[in-house]
Every structure is written in structure tokens, then in C-alpha cells.
Amino acid sequence: MKNRLIIFGLLISLIMSSCIVYHPMTTDIPLISEKNDLRIDAGISIVPSANATVSYGLTDKIAIQGFGSIGADDRYYFQAATGLYKNKGDSKIFELYGGFGYGYGNAYKDANPGNLLGDYQLYFGQANFGKISSNSSNFETGFGIKAGYLHSNLTDKNYYDWTSETGPFKTYHDESILLEPVGFIRFGGHRLRINVKLGGTLMYKFTNTDRNLPYSYLNLGVGLNYRL
């Protein structure tokens, strides 16, 4: 039953991909284990987009990360983060990041028809935990959870309400809380592995609560992960 619900959610996400401003980001969970540890991750997701992540162990405790995603309907998102990591032994890694993201979305509704489009900023923290490869296994797995404050500036070009062909159009400045869990598995060779990620998003708006912000609840990504 659980698997059917996940599959149903992914199908809905794919069908609704042209009707959303935001979708769960399949950012890599790098699990940095030591200084100079470098992870490069690139892939695609079922909510049509291509993405890449670069993560690096700057010191014995500090890691940095950059992520970018480009999708259908002119959607894009970029984020940068820095944080702390700890190798807890037995190949188990804990990470804690804080960062800032900026993106653009464009949702289309056939009913009116109309568009809701504009940019948004995300201030977030993220905790990751997982197990990296060892001498006996190249398999890696883990999960993370991102929590953040989302500020959006979206122009309603006849999306919520019909105004006119040419405007002027109303812009909504929304404040929301975002919660984004993600899990992954990596398998393959010593340095190059296939990476599969499943992520979700839940959002709670404080402003204009009668106007739902269109976003996807689930996203599945697949790609390649290289560790140097």
C-alpha cells in the first residue's frame, strides 16, 4: 500500500509539472568524511529538471556545498551552504548545514488560462546522516531533512483571478515555512556510483492563505556521484 502511494504521488508530480512554482530539490547528501573530501553529483529528476551538486571538506570539521537545478517552464534554483560534519566511526557521518537559496518558478493553469510566476528566496538549515562506503562495501545510504523560511514574490497573470489581457497584475509577497525530507542510496564502483534520491516537500503559508502556492509534493532523482 505504501509503495502504491509513493508511485501515485510521483505520477501526480509528473503530470502536474507544468502547474508548479516549486518542487523538492534532489540536492546531494554528500556525507563528507575528511578534509579535501570532494563529491560531485549530477542527475535528472521525474519533475523535469537537471541538477548538479558540488560538496567539499574545507577543513577537518567544515564543509561547503553548492547546488543548481534547471527545469521546465523556465524554472531554476541555486543554493549555497556551509556547515559542520563529524565522522562518528564505522563509516557513519553526521552533517549540519545552513545556507541560502534563490529560484524562479512559472506555473500555468488551463482553467483561466493564466500564469503565476516570479522569484523566491529560501533561508534554511539541513541535517544529514548516513553511512558511506567501507573496505567491504561500496554501497552508501542516508537521509536528510531541510527546514527553512521561504519568501516569494509571485505575479498573478490571471492565475488566481482573471484581471485582463494586459494588466496591471497583482504581485503576492508570501512568507512560508518549508520542510523537505530526502533519502538516497548510492551503489557502484570505488569512486563513481549511481545515486538515487527520493525527496518530498511540505509548505505552510503565513500570508494570503486563501491562495495556494502551487508546488510538487514528491520528486525522484537519479544520477552519477563521483568522490575524489
Side-chain angles (χ1 to χ4, degrees):
M1 181 66 178
K2 192 179 198 179
N3 291 336
R4 290 180 181 177
L5 288 175
I6 292 174
I7 292 171
F8 178 75
L10 291 172
L11 289 174
I12 291 298
S13 295
L14 182 60
I15 293 169
M16 298 293 289
S17 61
S18 63
C19 307
I20 58 173
V21 168
Y22 183 88
H23 63 82
M25 302 298 166
T26 51
T27 310
D28 184 39
I29 298 177
L31 302 180
I32 298 296
S33 62
E34 59 186 0
K35 183 179 178 180
N36 297 325
D37 191 2
L38 174 66
R39 293 270 190 175
I40 301 173
D41 187 270
I44 57 175
S45 68
I46 193 171
V47 178
S49 64
N51 60 80
T53 312
V54 177
S55 309
Y56 181 69
L58 196 62
T59 72
D60 292 329
K61 296 182 179 179
I62 298 174
I64 55 176
Q65 183 182 73
F67 170 80
S69 173
I70 299 176
D73 304 308
D74 300 321
R75 288 196 307 270
Y76 64 80
Y77 174 80
F78 301 97
Q79 75 174 39
T82 185
L84 303 174
Y85 69 92
K86 183 175 179 61
N87 191 329
K88 302 177 73 67
D90 193 29
S91 302
K92 295 177 181 177
I93 309 295
F94 176 76
E95 300 175 312
L96 188 63
Y97 290 93
F100 171 77
Y102 177 85
Y104 175 87
N106 185 355
Y108 178 77
K109 182 185 284 187
D110 291 316
N112 289 340
N115 289 73
L116 182 68
L117 68 164
D119 62 9
Y120 54 87
Q121 301 87 46
L122 176 64
Y123 305 87
F124 68 89
Q126 180 165 342
N128 301 329
F129 181 76
K131 189 168 184 177
I132 60 174
S133 63
S134 63
N135 292 331
S136 60
S137 174
N138 285 325
F139 185 79
E140 299 185 330
T141 186
F143 64 91
I145 186 162
K146 176 195 289 184
Y149 173 80
L150 185 75
H151 172 77
S152 56
N153 308 284
L154 303 176
T155 299
D156 176 17
K157 290 188 175 181
N158 303 317
Y159 183 88
Y160 293 127
D161 299 304
W162 172 260
T163 303
S164 70
E165 292 284 351
T166 58
F169 301 109
K170 184 175 181 179
T171 296
Y172 291 91
H173 304 283
D174 282 329
E175 319 298 331
S176 308
I177 292 294
L178 176 145
L179 188 65
E180 200 162 276
V182 60
F184 79 92
I185 56 171
R186 291 194 284 255
F187 55 91
H190 177 62
R191 295 193 181 277
L192 184 64
R193 299 180 179 89
I194 295 173
N195 194 0
V196 180
K197 300 183 281 284
L198 178 63
T201 295
L202 291 174
M203 206 177 292
Y204 177 79
K205 287 179 65 176
F206 294 110
T207 55
N208 301 307
T209 55
D210 59 327
R211 309 289 190 185
N212 292 326
L213 195 154
Y215 69 95
S216 174
Y217 294 97
L218 288 172
N219 195 13
L220 177 68
V222 63
L224 293 176
N225 186 278
Y226 183 77
R227 182 183 184 188
L228 183 62

